[in-house]
Amino acid sequence: MRLDVQVAGNRVTMTGRIDDSATFADLPARLPTSEIVIDTGGVTFVNSIGMREWIRLLRGLRETGRRVRLDRVADVLITQMNLIAEFVGERAVTISSFHAQYVCPACGAESAPLVDAVANAPLLQQMKVPAMPCPECGAQMELGDFPERYLTIFKG
Amino acid sequence: MVIHPERKAQRALQRMVGAAGVPVEVAADAASAAIDDDTIVIADAAVALSRQPARAWIAVPGEGLAAAEASIVAGLLESGCDHIIAHPMPVLSEELLATVQKLLKRDVFGLEKYLTWSADVRSYTLEDALERDVVVSEIAREVVTMGLPDRVGSLVSVIADELLANAIYAAPVDDRGERPHLGTARDQSRSLAGRDAVTLRWATDARYVALEIRDRWGSIDPAACGKRLAKAQTSAGGMGLPLAYACCNQLVVNRAPGALTEMVALLDVRYKPTELGRAASFHVFVGEAP
């Protein structure tokens, strides 16, 4: 599925693949100059070319003085953002929530629940995640990967 | 030759390598090890950072054969080490024996070397550059259909996409040694016939998912490749290979210079990522094209 980008006021909603076919060149012109909220909860795939476009978009919005808040950042995007030096340390973007892979030690289920990055900010800064209940058995799930894959960009 | 400061680790490594059917000597440090151009050295990662001439060096984790620290793996990649095993037992054992056997037999190509006999290998040949998306989506779907988690399907699609893109756009070289397709628009059709042919095979044996991508150019520069992978946090440019490396647990480059590059990426589906090394293992082999 190609990337679908919907703009409603200051909210941008992206669904599908951020790959070679994704271009955000005309997007800033369609957005207001205030705070922009980008919801990528529906993004299913990001490759290196798509990541380059994503970086250009965020850089472009920042350079025009807009504040950017990322909402419901997809698991596939947050892990890649943690690999990019530009996103680490400088608090280049504000993230209000993101999806992370959790695994249930009791039943083995895996899921990617939404983590509230505002309410859990102190925890995330310590490279820890909040406990989440398993959707199948109710036991307490744990992060399914090394914390730095998700939390380097939140590190205090 | 096994070089490791811990006696327990020496014994374990000696047993693993001994399974290849060759004599194995042990030493506590490089100074007391007899190494010549025919020696395959299996050494503690810290020792492997200062390598001397040998047939091959295989770096293994240090203290207690626990998973190697990402910074140590990065240092080994930066230094051009061809064989870095990052994971603890029992993955270490499987990986080490496969590596030693490939070196001893000088038979390096094929994902089968990492899988059990029972794995069903599926194969795709791309006839046009535009088929990349279709193939990537298809194998991600197959992976999930086989009962593996969505997370694995997602990782497989990123790895396949990046390695296929490398084979299609970065591997071809012209008479001047330049890479004419590096800047080609990715939405352009291009026939992948003859030397431009690109194949993907994949399989799982419920231990690993293995992806194998081949091009017929054999033009990859492994030293440059290692240096790129060493940077844990990448810049925006040229991040395809680092991204594929970050998504897998073992990346293997098999090459016949000027004739064939085969990239094999392995994802361990038995263990939680946190039970393995923080960084992936990395191997470079040279052999004759089959």
Side-chain angles (χ1 to χ4, degrees):
Chain A
M1 181 189 178
R2 296 286 175 225
L3 187 68
D4 178 57
V5 180
Q6 299 291 330
V7 178
N10 73 334
R11 189 174 183 87
V12 182
T13 305
M14 297 183 180
T15 310
R17 296 164 59 94
I18 304 181
D19 61 11
D20 311 27
S21 63
T23 170
F24 301 125
D26 65 337
L27 186 56
R30 296 163 57 196
L31 299 172
T33 51
S34 57
E35 183 185 63
I36 309 296
V37 180
I38 306 178
D39 176 341
T40 59
V43 169
T44 55
F45 175 87
V46 187
N47 69 5
S48 59
I49 304 283
M51 198 61 200
R52 190 179 65 193
E53 286 302 305
W54 173 252
I55 292 166
R56 281 181 182 159
L57 170 67
L58 296 185
R59 203 180 280 162
L61 291 171
R62 216 166 46 226
E63 284 168 3
T64 53
R66 289 151 159 128
R67 293 190 311 279
V68 180
R69 183 158 58 85
L70 304 181
D71 201 13
R72 303 195 324 127
V73 185
D75 172 59
V76 291
L77 186 56
I78 193 93
T79 49
Q80 292 199 30
M81 286 177 70
N82 274 277
L83 288 171
I84 307 292
E86 184 165 337
F87 294 117
V88 176
E90 295 286 325
R91 297 297 168 91
V93 290
T94 303
I95 296 173
S96 55
S97 59
F98 64 98
H99 289 275
Q101 284 290 338
Y102 277 68
V103 62
C104 176
C107 75
E110 292 188 16
S111 69
L114 191 65
V115 178
D116 185 332
V118 178
N120 295 294
L123 207 55
L124 301 179
Q125 283 172 20
Q126 297 171 54
M127 304 288 280
K128 292 175 182 166
V129 291
M132 293 280 180
C134 173
E136 287 191 30
C137 73
Q140 186 172 305
M141 293 197 295
E142 54 195 39
L143 191 65
D145 209 332
F146 291 107
E148 58 264 34
R149 299 260 167 91
Y150 288 94
L151 307 179
T152 305
I153 52 179
F154 298 103
K155 200 172 177 181
Chain B
M1 173 64 69
V2 166
I3 307 176
H4 204 287
E6 297 168 15
R7 187 67 191 111
K8 191 175 175 186
Q10 285 175 8
R11 286 186 211 281
L13 291 167
Q14 188 175 21
R15 270 200 303 274
M16 292 176 221
V17 182
V22 288
V24 184
E25 294 172 39
V26 295
D29 52 50
S32 57
I35 298 169
D36 61 28
D37 290 347
D38 203 34
T39 311
I40 296 173
V41 187
I42 296 98
D44 168 273
V47 176
L49 276 169
S50 25
R51 298 178 296 281
Q52 58 194 84
R55 181 164 156 194
W57 280 77
I58 305 169
V60 296
E63 199 176 339
L65 295 179
E69 288 299 321
S71 58
I72 291 188
V73 174
L76 288 162
L77 286 167
E78 183 73 38
S79 75
C81 188
D82 280 343
H83 301 285
I84 305 162
I85 298 179
H87 305 297
M89 290 290 281
V91 181
L92 163 65
S93 167
E94 295 166 4
E95 205 177 312
L96 179 58
L97 191 52
T99 303
V100 169
Q101 287 287 28
K102 283 176 72 163
L103 289 166
L104 288 172
K105 295 182 175 176
R106 299 179 198 276
D107 174 11
V108 303
F109 293 96
L111 56 67
E112 288 85 352
K113 293 179 176 61
Y114 298 95
L115 300 169
T116 53
W117 166 82
S118 52
D120 175 37
V121 181
R122 300 178 181 211
S123 181
Y124 295 88
T125 300
L126 278 72
E127 292 177 358
D128 191 282
L130 291 180
E131 290 176 8
R132 178 166 60 107
D133 282 358
V134 178
V135 168
V136 168
S137 302
E138 178 63 15
I139 62 166
R141 190 192 59 76
E142 287 176 353
V143 162
V144 175
T145 303
M146 285 186 174
L148 290 163
D150 289 346
R151 173 182 64 83
V152 174
S154 175
L155 292 169
V156 161
S157 32
V158 174
I159 296 166
D161 184 80
E162 297 297 349
L163 296 183
L164 283 173
N166 266 2
I168 295 168
Y169 299 105
V173 285
D174 61 20
D175 295 340
R176 291 173 299 170
E178 288 172 7
R179 299 179 189 270
H181 296 299
L182 264 184
T184 303
R186 303 292 172 95
D187 58 355
Q188 235 175 53
S189 168
R190 176 163 66 91
S191 168
L192 299 178
R195 210 167 169 200
D196 275 337
V198 171
T199 56
L200 180 150
R201 298 195 308 146
W202 85 273
T204 181
D205 61 359
R207 298 180 309 137
Y208 295 107
V209 173
L211 287 163
E212 173 205 290
I213 286 93
R214 284 185 180 185
D215 69 64
R216 271 66 178 172
W217 294 93
S219 64
I220 195 165
D221 176 354
C225 175
K227 286 190 191 308
R228 276 163 61 200
L229 301 184
K231 299 185 189 335
Q233 288 173 348
T234 64
S235 61
M239 59 175 288
L241 204 55
L243 187 53
Y245 175 67
C247 288
C248 70
N249 299 117
Q250 186 181 166
L251 185 65
V252 182
V253 182
N254 299 318
R255 64 190 191 106
L260 176 66
T261 298
E262 178 186 274
M263 306 289 287
V264 176
L266 293 155
L267 269 164
D268 194 307
V269 293
R270 293 167 290 183
Y271 301 103
K272 279 196 310 182
T274 47
E275 293 172 314
L276 299 167
R278 276 185 152 78
S281 296
F282 178 71
H283 297 274
V284 177
F285 295 93
V286 179
E288 283 184 27

